Amino acid sequence: MKPFFIGNIEIKTPIIQGGMGVGISLSGLASAVANEGGIGVISCAGLGLLYPKGKGDYTEKCICGLKEEIRKARQKTKGIIGVNIMVALSNYAEMVRTAISEKIDVVFAGAGLPLDLPLYLTPESKTKLVPIVSSSRAAKIICDKWQKNFDYLPDAIVVEGPKAGGHLGFKKEQIQDEKYALESLIPEVVAIAMSYKERKDIPVIAAGGISTGEDIARFMQLGASAVQMGSIFVTTQECDASQTFKEVYIHSKPEDVLIIESPVGMPGRAIDGEFIRNVEKGQEKPKCCSFHCIKTCDYQKSPYCIIKALYNAAKGNMKRGYAFAGSNAFLSEKIRSVKEVITTLNNEFLLATCQLTPAKMKT
């Protein structure tokens, strides 16, 4: 797999590890991926729960947690570290400011349009800004808004298709519609990125349901410079989730991977379990809220508290939570090291490339 650049940063292995909250991708997983030449990503979601002894309220605990996770990652790697910050977070602005002040390499922002993201850069900032979108229309809106309001264009764009895990930027009826498949989205967003080539080189990163080196080769043939992968890294030794959480992936079957309704107001993809069935029965309604972690969440109308559910699952309490997962999460068979995963992907990519090249030459 060829290296690529985000601005002046060279990524030797064109794999970005997807940000997975709450507590799934922290400094442990992120540093391991960075050490293999990819971009390791710390998820900002729910850090206040993971650092309960920090000073102040939930927001202040989140800031403390983010600083600590970045510091830990820096101790474990000299590679490239990013953070994933959902626009839907109530403390989105504080987390962006903190990440930039801590000199994080890349900020990935999705779950909403990060229309003001360049606003948080300072004159001395070297942090790269990468929005996560689910359509070419969103990519165009972001590029135009950033250019007009900040004289800035994205340093890269992640395109997340409907096979991704966690929250999805699609309506339920669009998830199985071929018009919204990642294979359709990538060429469209590549065309948008190319329209700005006179001003900036904007690489496009494919995400959502990518699980093999053959997948990587296919999306690179469509114009992607790199891929983002999440689920494949959950069942690694270095992943920050509990062993119990990882085993949910390993023991899952294709029919266990479901589309659910999230309190955030988006459909999401997760692995079925006792908690999800209890939610359907109306047995998990929250009585209060100490966090207000998501802008759009009203606990009085929510079927359950999503941050607590994800936190409980990450810690291994699957009766009180569930695992978000990509469409191919069930392919996981055993716990491996990050190095093993990336070596396998490289070998699969090489084999697929050798097979694809003659076919392309014939056409």
Side-chain angles (χ1 to χ4, degrees):
M1 290 186 276
K2 293 180 180 179
F4 80 111
F5 283 83
I6 294 180
N8 60 353
I9 300 176
E10 182 181 15
I11 296 91
K12 294 183 178 178
T13 302
I15 294 175
I16 292 87
Q17 163 249 308
M20 297 173 284
V22 173
I24 309 302
S25 64
L26 301 171
S27 56
L29 178 56
S31 59
V33 174
N35 280 332
E36 297 305 315
I39 302 180
V41 180
I42 297 164
S43 170
C44 287
L47 284 174
L49 275 178
L50 301 170
Y51 284 85
K53 294 181 181 179
K55 294 180 181 179
D57 60 13
Y58 174 74
T59 296
E60 290 170 302
K61 288 181 172 69
C62 286
I63 291 171
C64 172
L66 180 54
K67 288 180 178 179
E68 184 68 10
E69 286 301 322
I70 293 173
R71 184 190 65 80
K72 286 179 181 177
R74 294 297 190 207
Q75 288 179 340
K76 297 174 185 174
T77 185
K78 293 181 179 178
I80 303 157
I81 297 292
V83 295
N84 179 287
I85 308 175
M86 296 194 299
V87 179
L89 291 177
S90 298
N91 60 355
Y92 161 77
E94 289 87 352
M95 300 309 276
V96 173
R97 287 192 187 99
T98 300
I100 291 173
S101 70
E102 292 295 311
K103 297 180 173 58
I104 199 70
D105 295 312
V106 189
V107 168
F108 296 92
L113 296 182
L115 297 178
D116 67 344
L117 192 55
L119 173 68
Y120 304 101
L121 291 174
T122 60
E124 65 275 11
S125 297
K126 294 183 180 179
T127 298
K128 308 306 177 190
L129 306 180
V130 180
I132 302 171
V133 303
S134 54
S135 69
S136 57
R137 179 175 178 271
K140 176 69 172 168
I141 289 170
I142 290 169
C143 288
D144 287 348
K145 287 282 188 182
W146 286 17
Q147 187 171 36
K148 179 183 176 182
N149 296 338
F150 308 105
D151 193 29
Y152 195 97
L153 285 168
D155 295 293
I157 299 173
V158 173
V159 187
E160 198 165 87
K163 292 184 179 181
H167 294 115
L168 306 175
F170 300 89
K171 296 176 182 177
K172 262 192 171 182
E173 61 271 19
Q174 294 174 336
I175 292 172
Q176 299 299 329
D177 190 331
E178 285 301 312
K179 288 191 299 184
Y180 300 95
L182 187 58
E183 288 82 354
S184 298
L185 298 177
I186 289 297
E188 293 174 2
V189 178
V190 168
I192 296 294
M194 288 296 290
S195 70
Y196 298 93
K197 65 180 180 179
E198 297 301 322
R199 282 212 58 200
K200 195 170 193 176
D201 180 20
I202 307 174
V204 173
I205 299 160
I210 299 170
S211 54
T212 67
E214 184 179 0
D215 291 340
I216 298 171
R218 186 159 45 88
F219 285 109
M220 286 186 173
Q221 288 272 336
L222 292 173
S225 298
V227 297
Q228 177 180 285
M229 308 176 80
S231 295
I232 198 168
F233 291 115
V234 169
T235 51
T236 58
Q237 294 159 5
E238 298 91 342
C239 177
D240 299 276
S242 68
Q243 182 71 16
T244 302
F245 186 96
K246 298 173 187 180
E247 287 174 359
V248 169
Y249 271 57
I250 291 170
H251 298 307
S252 67
K253 301 179 182 66
E255 59 268 26
D256 295 328
V257 184
L258 308 174
I259 299 298
I260 64 170
E261 289 294 337
S262 166
V264 176
M266 297 174 168
R269 182 175 277 107
I271 297 174
D272 196 12
E274 181 179 342
F275 182 84
I276 290 175
R277 292 190 287 273
N278 287 341
V279 168
E280 291 172 352
K281 297 173 186 174
Q283 297 175 356
E284 299 293 342
K285 291 185 178 180
K287 296 177 182 177
C288 62
C289 176
S290 304
F291 315 109
H292 187 55
C293 58
I294 301 293
K295 295 172 186 173
T296 56
C297 182
D298 179 354
Y299 82 89
Q300 293 176 317
K301 298 177 182 177
S302 292
Y304 61 96
C305 175
I306 188 167
I307 193 172
K308 285 185 178 178
L310 297 177
Y311 171 79
N312 288 335
K315 293 298 183 183
N317 185 358
M318 302 310 298
K319 290 185 177 182
R320 305 296 304 151
Y322 63 86
F324 270 149
S327 61
N328 293 319
F330 64 89
L331 294 174
S332 301
E333 295 179 342
K334 63 180 180 178
I335 305 295
R336 299 182 288 172
S337 68
V338 166
K339 181 181 279 293
E340 285 178 272
V341 169
I342 291 182
T343 297
T344 300
L345 290 172
N346 262 308
N347 292 339
E348 291 171 347
F349 176 86
L350 181 61
L351 181 61
T353 303
C354 290
Q355 293 170 343
L356 281 170
T357 303
K360 191 175 181 183
M361 288 173 66
K362 287 178 184 177
T363 60

